[in-house]
Amino acid sequence: MRNVSLPGRGGTGGTRPLCHMSAPFEERSGVVPCVTPWGRWYQTLEEVFIEVQVPPGTRAKDVCCSLQSRRVALSVCGREVLQGKLFDSTIADEGTWTLEDRKLIRIVLMKTNRDAGNCWTSLLKNEYAADPWVQDQMQRKLTLERFQRENPGFDFSGAEISGNYSKGGPDFSSLEK
């Protein structure tokens, strides 16, 4: 069984009723990044985000980015930054990259498998793996995001979770309401 508690409820925990949820869950609750030599990556239930630090003043024409269902390749000014087979499949047509402030490349990949049990443990097969603590935090975050979607009337963005949350936690979908 799992315990979900939120601060600010008279010390007893529990969930808070949702007052105003205009921002996406990850913006309200923060992200769990996996730091890499070139930047960082993180994930939500639906997407994987890759943020690559590039030299200030980089122009879009200096960037070569290829996004495929199971592969990613990125080079900047002719130098390979990232290339390989992704941990899991993505929807290639929905992948995008942007150059922000001429110093950061943000790649957004849409996961094919979008459930809380699909927590990527690394960005690429055998490369850029999250350490065990980060993996644990990522899984917690995805499980809370799943709870948020299943219970839109509550705000889980500040919740803490413990217990059996691996592989997305228990499935309550078959319970009668």
Side-chain angles (χ1 to χ4, degrees):
M1 197 47 114
R2 175 181 332 214
N3 299 319
V4 177
S5 64
L6 291 170
R9 186 82 188 225
T12 61
T15 56
R16 290 188 299 248
L18 178 65
C19 298
H20 185 68
M21 252 184 59
S22 60
F25 180 80
E26 67 273 9
E27 287 181 23
R28 293 188 326 274
S29 63
V31 298
V32 179
C34 180
V35 178
T36 65
W38 37 259
R40 68 184 193 161
W41 69 274
Y42 57 93
Q43 63 187 309
T44 65
L45 282 175
E46 295 186 348
E47 299 168 314
V48 174
F49 296 83
I50 304 168
E51 295 179 348
V52 180
Q53 299 294 324
V54 295
T58 297
R59 298 168 302 180
K61 71 179 191 173
D62 299 328
V63 178
C64 182
C65 186
S66 171
L67 305 175
Q68 300 172 2
S69 174
R70 292 198 168 264
R71 298 192 68 77
V72 63
L74 173 68
S75 61
V76 178
C77 297
R79 201 185 72 214
E80 182 181 288
V81 176
L82 174 66
Q83 179 179 322
K85 185 174 182 181
L86 293 165
F87 178 81
D88 202 355
S89 65
T90 62
I91 302 171
D93 291 349
E94 295 188 24
T96 60
W97 69 269
T98 56
L99 176 61
E100 299 176 12
D101 299 325
R102 297 180 71 173
K103 62 182 180 181
L104 176 80
I105 295 173
R106 184 183 318 269
I107 299 171
V108 182
L109 305 171
M110 182 67 68
K111 292 180 178 178
T112 301
N113 180 357
R114 300 176 193 162
D115 62 56
N118 184 31
C119 182
W120 289 23
T121 57
S122 64
L123 179 61
L124 303 179
K125 291 283 185 184
N126 304 315
E127 212 169 350
Y128 308 119
D131 68 48
W133 185 85
V134 171
Q135 286 179 24
D136 182 68
Q137 297 303 306
M138 285 179 168
Q139 184 63 66
R140 288 175 189 232
K141 184 69 71 177
L142 293 184
T143 301
L144 286 171
E145 187 177 350
R146 183 192 119 204
F147 286 171
Q148 181 67 68
R149 287 184 184 204
E150 292 173 354
N151 302 281
F154 293 92
D155 182 359
F156 289 89
S157 63
E160 292 292 325
I161 189 168
S162 64
N164 178 19
Y165 54 84
S166 65
K167 304 239 185 276
D171 180 7
F172 299 117
S173 63
S174 63
L175 297 177
E176 291 185 38
K177 297 192 181 223

